[in-house]
Amino acid sequence: MNTGTLIVITGPSGVGKGTLVRLLTKKYPELYLSISATTRKPRPGEIEGKSYYFLDRLEFERMIAHDELLEYAEYAGNYYGTPKQKVQEQLQQGKSILLEIEVIGAGLVKQIFPEALRIFILPPDLKTLEQRLRNRGSEDEEDIKKRLERAIDELILSKEFEYELVNDDLEQSLASIEAIIFNKG
Ligand code: ADP
Ligand code: 5GP
């Protein structure tokens, strides 16, 4: 059977994953973006069922117990996970699906889908990562610190992924991801 490709975009918070994924799905509407479940509170402007499925811990733990998640991880005090059903449906229909997830979850995906194509997005340097997180302005100081501390552990793991990409110039990064996904160049 001709199954679709599972594409995983991972890397530390603030590196530009969400920005790159938004550009990609806009340019290639056929790329289906998986909507994750999380126990994090919605940020202003985030929409239930579009940005995330926002759950409380009990609801999330029910999904874990019922084996409804492809992978999940705890990140900065909250759960994040990929609902399994939609991913399986897409792949069975021969369609590609994009996951934008943190590094531990991206590691777990490989155990279930060894053929997954995983791209680790790196910042040009740690200072730039911190600036991007701060400029985004979506987290308080405590959360920014948690994310930066976690970034140090995450960056060490970048070599374990199929592709690494430094997100310096946005357009260039987008072109590199397109080349990987569509096997161009
Ligand atoms: P992530 O999803 O990895 O947490 P975001 O996509 O939210 O990161 O990006 C964090 C911030 O960095 C955003 O304000 C975004 O506009 C900015 N950003 C992303 N990529 C670049 C880039 N290549 N150059 C400069 N700023 C960028
Ligand atoms: P944020 O709170 O900034 O939206 O997300 C925090 C981190 O969780 C980001 O690195 C994001 O990629 C990751 N994340 C989002 N959804 C999932 C998911 O379903 N699984 C895992 N493991 N990580 C996720």
Side-chain angles (χ1 to χ4, degrees), residues 11-20 22 43 100 128-129 131-133 135-138 147 167-171 173:
S13 181
V15 77
K17 302 184 298 296
T19 307
L20 286 164
R22 272 191 295 280
R43 294 175 188 146
E100 190 241 288
T128 309
L129 181 68
Q131 273 164 6
R132 285 185 189 168
L133 259 183
N135 290 347
R136 186 170 70 185
S138 49
R147 286 168 186 247
N167 179 24
D168 194 350
D169 177 78
L170 196 57
E171 286 307 314
S173 301

Side-chain angles (χ1 to χ4, degrees), residues 20-28 31 174 177-178 181:
L20 286 164
V21 161
R22 272 191 295 280
L23 292 171
L24 260 180
T25 50
K26 199 169 167 212
K27 190 162 176 186
Y28 302 99
L31 286 178
L174 182 65
I177 294 181
E178 288 177 61
I181 295 179

